[in-house]
Amino acid sequence: MATAKALGFDAPTANSLDAVGDRDFAVELVAACALLLAHLSRLGEELVLWASQEFGFVRLPEAYCSGSSIMPQKMNPDIPELVRAKVARVIGDLTTLLVVLKGLPLAYNKDLQETQEPLYDAVETAILCTRTMAGLMAGAAFDVERMKRAVGQGHLLATEVADWLAARGVPFRQAHAASGALVRAASARGVELPELTLDDMRAIAPDVTWDEGLFAVLDASRAVDRRDIVGARRARASWRPSPRRSSCCRSSPRNSAAY
């Protein structure tokens, strides 16, 4: 018992055969590293997309990018791309561990030497990727104004139109259909919903009542703020989940007061 305590263990093992042959700790650690890398890989994918010319939502620090051998203006998002791929390596480490362990008998076997390399590789890769992504995110510059302009495109406010009608007593199925009719008409004209006139709306969906009040809700920032409720990715982080209860277990009525 004294030796176990001196080494930092709670107590001696009750089964020495299991102790020398068990590598569950390694599997659990590498599995955690693989999950961490899966999340970092998803973040890397978002950054690659957001840094592209088509999106232009973020500018990555030059120290974490590389230039092109032929195009002087190009800046390649090397780190997000590499981190995006590293998850395959760590998942491979986890697979290696599990395959080595799957057929072993009791006690120690020489096969267990092959568990060390994937263990160390997974941990080192996870540490390297985490530190690198932390540095990259610290130097990233997000173009908030461009993001706001993007939110105003693609008819994202169609749900606001349907909610606005529903709040005035229109059955939601009918409100959904009317909003969809506006979207189709706006798409055909190459405009966004706020650019349709009241006369346009009345002509497109004459079975519901339209008035000037609708234009007050056709604002992306207002739509985000209106959903300042549990579970929403809102602008005002005013709510915090109770440490004793998961947010998925809490309910909140739909916020329609804004209408």
Side-chain angles (χ1 to χ4, degrees):
M1 180 64 75
T3 302
K5 292 293 185 182
L7 293 174
F9 296 101
D10 293 331
T13 180
N15 187 328
S16 60
L17 290 176
D18 179 64
V20 297
D22 178 76
R23 291 298 182 272
D24 287 0
F25 66 91
V27 172
E28 291 172 357
L29 176 56
V30 175
C33 291
L35 183 58
L36 169 62
L37 263 294
H39 287 291
L40 290 180
S41 178
R42 295 179 64 187
L43 175 59
E45 169 66 5
E46 294 287 359
L47 291 173
V48 170
L49 288 175
W50 285 23
S52 67
Q53 185 176 358
E54 292 79 4
F55 283 77
F57 291 165
V58 63
R59 183 174 179 82
L60 302 178
E62 291 190 21
Y64 293 84
C65 301
S66 69
S68 168
S69 59
I70 190 171
M71 294 177 285
Q73 85 285 1
K74 197 169 189 302
M75 191 163 64
N76 297 312
D78 285 0
I79 295 303
E81 290 178 351
L82 290 170
V83 170
R84 184 176 59 184
K86 288 291 185 182
V87 64
R89 176 173 178 161
V90 179
I91 290 175
D93 291 331
L94 177 59
T95 302
T96 299
L97 273 174
L98 292 172
V99 172
V100 168
L101 296 174
K102 72 174 182 63
L104 294 185
L106 291 174
Y108 180 81
N109 298 271
K110 210 66 172 178
D111 311 52
L112 292 175
Q113 284 193 349
E114 292 299 312
T115 65
Q116 297 183 43
E117 183 177 355
L119 171 62
Y120 293 135
D121 180 70
V123 173
E124 291 170 358
T125 301
I127 292 173
L128 175 63
C129 290
T130 303
R131 289 175 176 172
T132 305
M133 287 295 278
L136 181 146
M137 292 302 296
F142 292 88
D143 191 337
V144 178
E145 292 305 316
R146 183 157 180 164
M147 291 180 180
K148 288 181 179 179
R149 291 195 298 271
V151 169
Q153 300 171 355
H155 311 301
L156 296 181
L157 295 172
T159 303
E160 298 300 302
V161 175
D163 283 350
W164 182 84
L165 289 170
R168 280 155 179 73
V170 178
F172 190 78
R173 176 178 294 184
Q174 186 179 0
H176 187 283
S179 179
L182 295 189
V183 169
R184 287 190 294 273
S187 296
R189 300 181 187 185
V191 299
E192 294 296 326
L193 290 177
E195 297 177 73
L196 295 175
T197 67
L198 198 57
D199 289 338
D200 291 334
M201 297 176 184
R202 288 169 176 165
I204 295 165
D207 56 332
V208 296
T209 301
W210 305 97
D211 61 57
E212 295 288 347
L214 173 63
F215 293 98
V217 307
L218 294 180
D219 177 81
S221 296
R222 181 186 182 283
V224 173
D225 289 342
R226 188 175 75 84
R227 287 168 174 77
D228 189 7
I229 58 176
V230 176
R233 297 303 302 160
R234 57 211 176 281
R236 302 187 303 276
S238 57
W239 181 87
R240 292 291 182 274
S242 167
R244 295 185 180 180
R245 296 181 63 188
S246 170
S247 60
C248 65
C249 299
R250 303 170 69 94
S251 61
S252 175
R254 189 181 182 115
N255 183 3
S256 60
Y259 294 136

